[in-house]
Amino acid sequence: MKRIPTQDVKQRSRAVSQLFQSYQPYDHKVGERQMVLVTEIAHDGRHLVAHNKSYDQVLLKDKEGLMGKMVEVEITSAGKHFLMADIVEGSLSAAPQLPSPLPQGAVSGVPEGLRSRTTSKHARMSKHDMLQFFLPVFAGALFVLILRVLGPAVGQWL
């Protein structure tokens, strides 16, 4: 394959860069009010990251107690890959169908008694904790096994 001259490569690269910089995909959303779910802390540590129903990234000023909550916001500005917004006063919604978020660093699915224990290699589960943790898994597996074995027989009776 023939090599393209450097000047042509630079010209094409400038044209593509200019095209990329020319459009702003979120400008039409400035001024809108939207409901968003606050999900995480932004990398800069000064903003919270939220997402609207289109999963657009919305940045909010960090406020205590917003993590995991639905809030109404007004979009104030837009960038290439994000929206900036202010919280509409009095719009805090606790989203009662959702459980409250775990503390930072906590692992979901681990019984409450084990969350506070050390994670060193010497930490041991008690028999009670093991039973509490593994019994639902074992019961589910046993149920599936019984259905597979007895399923055809039960189907004949019906």
Side-chain angles (χ1 to χ4, degrees), residues 4-77:
I4 299 173
T6 306
Q7 288 304 96
D8 290 348
V9 171
K10 286 182 181 181
Q11 182 183 3
R12 291 177 186 180
S13 180
R14 280 190 208 106
V16 169
S17 293
Q18 186 178 11
L19 175 64
F20 180 77
Q21 297 300 328
S22 69
Y23 69 91
Q24 296 293 325
Y26 296 125
D27 279 352
H28 66 282
K29 295 188 177 196
V30 174
E32 285 184 6
R33 284 189 173 199
Q34 300 180 351
M35 291 298 290
V36 297
L37 174 64
V38 181
T39 57
E40 60 188 296
I41 299 170
H43 292 292
D44 66 3
R46 296 180 304 147
H47 293 92
L48 294 173
V49 178
H51 295 279
N52 62 13
K53 66 181 179 180
S54 303
Y55 206 70
D56 299 327
Q57 182 174 315
V58 181
L59 299 177
L60 307 170
K61 290 180 183 140
D62 193 2
K63 244 185 185 177
E64 192 68 32
L66 288 181
M67 193 65 66
K69 302 269 184 354
M70 294 285 295
V71 293
E72 185 178 7
V73 298
E74 184 171 344
I75 308 300
T76 57
S77 63

